[in-house]
Amino acid sequence: MTELGRRLDAHQRSRIAELDLTPTQAKALEELGEPKTARELAGVLCCEPPNVTYVISKLEKQGMVVRRPHPLDGRAKQLVLTDAGRELRLDLLRRMGTASPLDHLSHEERAALRDDLLKALGRGD
């Protein structure tokens, strides 16, 4: 398990570095497939809202994210990917799925591995 974790981590880090992103920026892009508030994103990323503000500010300066008024809560802002942000997100997701340490497994073997890992974590059926 430890060796697989190391290989998967190295794979992710190399793909993220190809796009000149930090791991936190990459995770934020992944999670912003749908608009979220900074508080919602912080919860998903398991960090404090000020840390998310810093990450989003950098992505905003790069033209990847914009802050828009929340449609239901006038006090809140939603984080929304720009067209460039959506393209970068898709590129990131494609790269993450390329040359994965799990590529040698068939679709069925990957599904079985996922199910077994979820069961080991107590989240399986």
Side-chain angles (χ1 to χ4, degrees), residues 34-115:
E34 296 294 325
K36 290 181 175 39
T37 64
R39 183 171 303 284
E40 291 168 334
L41 186 59
V44 173
L45 298 179
C46 300
C47 64
E48 296 296 320
N51 294 339
V52 166
T53 300
Y54 176 77
V55 170
I56 294 303
S57 292
K58 287 195 153 242
L59 290 172
E60 195 172 30
K61 285 179 187 172
Q62 295 170 342
M64 302 299 150
V65 175
V66 294
R67 299 169 204 251
R68 294 210 174 121
H70 193 286
L72 302 175
D73 183 350
R75 300 167 295 162
K77 298 279 186 194
Q78 278 190 321
L79 307 172
V80 180
L81 293 178
T82 62
D83 289 342
R86 282 190 291 280
E87 286 180 32
L88 181 60
R89 180 179 181 271
L90 288 174
D91 190 15
L92 173 65
L93 294 175
R94 274 193 294 271
R95 287 173 188 253
M96 296 291 244
T98 303
S100 164
L102 302 178
D103 276 355
H104 66 283
L105 298 177
S106 69
H107 176 74
E108 292 79 18
E109 289 170 325
R110 285 183 202 192
L113 176 61
R114 181 196 64 236
D115 292 346

